[in-house]
Amino acid sequence: MDNLKTYIEENKERFLDELFELIRIPSISSKPEHKDDMYRCAELWKKMLIDGGADKAVVMETEGNPVVFGEKILDPSLPTVLVYAHYDVQPAEPLELWTTPPFEPEIRDGKIFARGADDDKGQGFMHTKAFEYLVKTNQLECNVKFLIEGEEEVGSPSLPKFCEDNKEMLKSDVILVSDTGMIAPDVPTITTGLRGLCYWEVEVTGPNRDLHSGLFGGAVANPINVLAKMITQMVDENGHITVPGFYDDVIEVSDEERALMAKAPYSEEEYKKALDVEELAGEKGFSTNERTGIRPSFDVCGIWGGYQGDGAKTVLPSKAYAKISSRLVPDQNHEKIAELFCKHFESIAPKSVKVKVEHLHGGQAYGCPIDLTAYKAAEKALETVYGKRPVPVRSGGSIPIISDFEKILGVKSVLMGFGLESNAIHSPNENYPLEQFFNGINSIPYFYKNYAEMMKK
Ligand code: BES
Ligand code: MN
Ligand code: MN
């Protein structure tokens, strides 16, 4: 690409200033008090798309947070790439663990520290700058559309309907997404799989009120004890999930593909060291990458009940709660799994308690074949920038809307992400290395160039 490196070099301060403006808006989708911030953030995205060279950009209402749509149509006969990203972020708590405030971006040790620095403001923003470069230097050879949503972190509840209602507007040949990761800074990676998920909240009720744990303890079931026991029954000693029928639709990956997966660079020692754990745990017979990439998992995300204040209070609580999630793989159906779990969880409850299970949200897993034209365009783009062939990786994370895009719009997504495991997304001190940010901006233009060429043939 003509003078791409120079363009980035000459504009890098401005790029960072603009990204920081985006990061400073606390667009936390799970908190209703941030509704205004969602609109402010959407408006800023719209402005950035226009400034970057889009013919049009609009903020559109949905049943939830607004969506930003923008486009530049060069010629309807050219291939069209739809860029998807999300402007919403996860809550920043626990705040006291941040070195600098989460919505005041700061560069330290060559990394941008802030909530959203990687997920997905930093990564999404790279696309506006790659686009700007292509437009300003007259090198764009594809039509480009942008779809930036504000509810990814809460399961994209409004986007499927928005897609149904706007199929023509969203028409494209491929969807390009930077919201995933790389194995290491020097190991270019393309994500070929995302896990699906199911999320529930359970409530276990024992006696009709909190009781004195001396007067009643030992005679009345304690809902926290019961809940803890029920949870431990969900996974057996081999790391198998015990819900009947849970594995029925899991596609077993061939030995050939497993052998290929085992070739991806991975050090168990470094992995353990980075997490400060002595030993890993998971399903027997599978490696770490297999456990997150091709096998389902079951986790309690939060658990509470009883006395949480300072000091001691002798109480036998009336209620116990947990938030529980399960990551799914092809071809598990998230609605079917949601049902199976509800039934099973209720069935193992002792008569001494009442159990309520609420299904909060879910989504399907996704797979991208490596012979897809757009995959090859991404592969070649990363090879140009990194000097080596990218590794295809099935990620353990989820972006539920990606499989909906396929179902509703009939379009495949290519997941060309630049995050690192050490970026601490969703955690305190989320960060995004400048190297990843600028390599991303440097790689994306080649994707368009390769894709346009490959689609001509
Ligand atoms: N960008 C992540 C997903 C991701 C990260 C995939 C790294 C692969 C590698 C996304 O924003 C996310 O956090 N998704 C949620 C989905 C949920 C809230 C429905 C997840 O995976 O927990
Ligand atoms: Mn994300
Ligand atoms: Mn996220």
Side-chain angles (χ1 to χ4, degrees):
M1 299 249 83
D2 282 355
N3 55 37
L4 171 55
K5 281 215 163 112
T6 331
Y7 189 87
I8 296 174
E9 190 54 39
E10 281 170 359
N11 290 284
K12 66 180 185 199
E13 293 305 323
R14 176 173 61 86
F15 289 178
L16 288 171
D17 286 346
E18 290 174 9
L19 171 62
F20 285 13
E21 220 185 307
L22 198 63
I23 289 175
R24 282 193 198 99
I25 304 175
S27 47
I28 305 165
S29 48
S30 64
K31 297 190 178 185
E33 66 266 32
H34 287 281
K35 197 82 200 170
D36 287 352
D37 294 320
M38 306 316 284
Y39 279 86
R40 276 173 56 217
C41 202
E43 288 295 337
L44 183 56
W45 253 103
K46 170 184 150 181
K47 180 177 176 295
M48 289 186 332
L49 292 180
I50 297 283
D51 292 349
D55 302 330
K56 87 168 208 198
V58 282
V59 173
M60 296 173 75
E61 290 292 339
T62 71
E63 284 173 2
N65 292 329
V67 154
V68 188
F69 177 79
E71 65 180 16
K72 180 160 189 77
I73 306 295
L74 296 176
D75 176 345
S77 69
L78 288 173
T80 301
V81 176
L82 174 66
V83 175
Y84 163 82
H86 62 93
Y87 67 81
D88 65 322
V89 296
Q90 288 271 334
E93 282 82 2
L95 298 177
E96 66 280 9
L97 296 185
W98 286 80
T99 305
T100 47
F103 297 102
E104 293 171 28
E106 191 182 277
I107 297 174
R108 292 194 302 275
D109 313 323
K111 300 170 185 167
I112 308 162
F113 282 86
R115 171 58 82 237
D118 163 343
D119 185 14
D120 186 35
K121 287 176 176 171
Q123 292 214 54
F125 181 77
M126 299 178 319
H127 284 270
T128 63
K129 296 302 106 178
F131 172 71
E132 174 192 300
Y133 161 77
L134 289 170
V135 174
K136 301 256 150 99
T137 60
N138 255 314
Q139 296 183 80
L140 187 63
E141 292 173 68
C142 296
N143 301 313
V144 185
K145 297 181 176 179
F146 287 89
L147 172 65
I148 318 297
E149 73 149 319
E151 296 187 322
E152 195 278 338
E153 299 290 9
V154 291
S156 306
S158 316
L159 203 51
K161 181 170 186 298
F162 181 88
C163 291
E164 293 279 3
D165 293 346
N166 294 283
K167 278 189 191 161
E168 193 49 41
M169 179 182 89
L170 298 172
K171 202 165 172 235
S172 65
D173 296 286
V174 71
I175 299 171
L176 180 63
V177 185
S178 294
D179 192 25
T180 53
M182 297 179 35
I183 295 175
D186 58 349
V187 183
T189 310
I190 302 174
T191 300
T192 53
L194 291 166
R195 285 198 287 186
L197 106 165
C198 254
Y199 206 112
W200 307 271
E201 183 168 320
V202 302
E203 181 194 83
V204 180
T205 309
N208 59 3
R209 61 193 161 91
D210 285 4
L211 303 174
H212 188 292
S213 66
L215 296 180
F216 294 91
V220 178
N222 179 321
I224 301 183
N225 295 24
V226 172
L227 174 59
K229 190 167 171 195
M230 288 170 74
I231 286 168
T232 56
Q233 283 174 44
M234 300 304 294
V235 182
D236 72 14
E237 64 285 0
N238 292 323
H240 262 275
I241 297 154
T242 56
V243 177
F246 188 88
Y247 289 92
D248 283 1
D249 303 319
V250 169
I251 293 185
E252 302 281 339
V253 171
S254 68
D255 290 346
E256 202 185 333
E257 187 174 345
R258 287 178 71 182
L260 216 71
M261 282 180 75
K263 285 197 186 147
Y266 165 75
S267 152
E268 184 138 322
E269 280 320 304
E270 276 174 36
Y271 189 84
K272 289 195 288 192
K273 210 170 129 207
L275 303 174
D276 202 4
V277 295
E278 294 252 330
E279 203 175 89
L280 299 175
E283 191 180 0
K284 218 174 139 188
F286 293 94
S287 68
T288 297
N289 285 333
E290 290 173 344
R291 284 169 177 173
T292 59
I294 60 173
R295 301 298 292 172
S297 62
F298 179 89
D299 279 287
V300 177
C301 298
I303 184 161
W304 70 103
Y307 182 63
Q308 319 256 323
D310 285 338
K313 181 188 180 196
T314 49
V315 62
L316 192 166
S318 164
K319 286 183 187 286
Y321 302 87
K323 294 194 190 267
I324 296 175
S325 84
S326 184
R327 298 281 167 169
L328 310 176
V329 298
D331 270 340
Q332 288 179 294
N333 177 290
H334 74 94
E335 279 157 356
K336 182 175 160 192
I337 297 292
E339 281 266 330
L340 290 177
F341 172 81
C342 289
K343 275 207 196 111
H344 182 64
F345 207 69
E346 281 163 6
S347 79
I348 63 169
K351 282 220 170 66
S352 53
V353 297
K354 296 180 196 77
V355 170
K356 264 205 293 202
V357 184
E358 192 191 348
H359 175 216
L360 298 187
H361 63 70
Q364 287 301 113
Y366 173 75
C368 175
I370 59 174
D371 57 1
L372 194 78
T373 304
Y375 179 91
K376 290 188 187 148
E379 195 173 42
K380 196 172 160 205
L382 293 183
E383 188 161 359
T384 302
V385 172
Y386 288 88
K388 24 181 159 167
R389 189 148 184 221
V391 184
V393 162
R394 297 207 198 195
S395 169
S398 308
I399 312 175
I401 197 65
I402 300 297
S403 62
D404 288 328
F405 284 152
E406 186 168 6
K407 203 170 85 194
I408 301 166
L409 304 173
V411 182
K412 276 280 184 189
S413 296
V414 169
L415 305 159
M416 190 169 80
F418 295 87
L420 301 174
E421 239 155 49
S422 56
N423 291 174
I425 61 171
H426 297 201
S427 303
N429 299 315
E430 175 177 349
N431 63 85
Y432 197 37
L434 295 171
E435 184 189 357
Q436 299 305 106
F437 178 64
F438 290 116
N439 277 344
I441 302 175
N442 200 9
S443 302
I444 295 162
Y446 291 100
F447 171 85
Y448 288 103
K449 181 173 181 275
N450 299 339
Y451 189 59
E453 265 168 30
M454 291 175 180
M455 289 293 278
K456 268 184 214 155
K457 289 174 194 157

